[in-house]
Amino acid sequence: MNLYHSSPIKNLKTIKPQRTLSNNKYIGDFVFATKDKRLSLMYMLPKGFPILMNSKSSSPYVVICGEAEDVIQKDNGGALYILPSETFHKTPQKELNEYEMVSRDSVSPLDEIDYTNVLNALNIEGVSIYFVDDAVFSNLIANPQQDNIVKHLKRYSL
């Protein structure tokens, strides 16, 4: 089984474990990966914008807290790395076991797919994109009606 790891940095020959905090506590140095290609692509989105994603929904989506123009300006694409799963195991963040796996070892990618634009990559993968303000984003977090609320938001079109 192969896993996916995304980065805004292209042409990595080795992906090295990075210092990881969970709830502001150091939990180890890890390389993160997922079985979910759509979820992995989300990690190429520009830093500095809160992001909420549901890749498992029948209509997968990403909600970005910010203005579309600001995200587009900072969207430099990145690379989706395909990794072997041999050194990966369950994440120490138990609540995320369904989504991610970790390795304490450096990993050499089996393949790399480069993207010039993350928003376009998400769109091609069938992920609906929404841009919202702070109030709407705050209302969505941990809201049991999140999927229903998102269905009524204005979808961003490329």
Side-chain angles (χ1 to χ4, degrees), residues 31 45 55 57 68-69 76 79 92 100 110 117 131-132 144-145 148:
V31 172
L45 285 164
S55 63
S57 171
E69 298 78 25
N76 295 318
E100 67 187 24
L110 300 171
N117 178 293
F131 290 94
V132 299
Q145 297 298 315
N148 191 43

Side-chain angles (χ1 to χ4, degrees), residues 42-51 64-67 70-71 74 134 137:
M42 176 188 75
Y43 290 98
M44 272 193 275
L45 285 164
K47 303 294 181 229
F49 301 95
I51 298 166
I64 303 168
C65 185
E67 297 291 329
D70 295 337
V71 175
K74 293 181 179 183
D134 289 332
F137 193 84

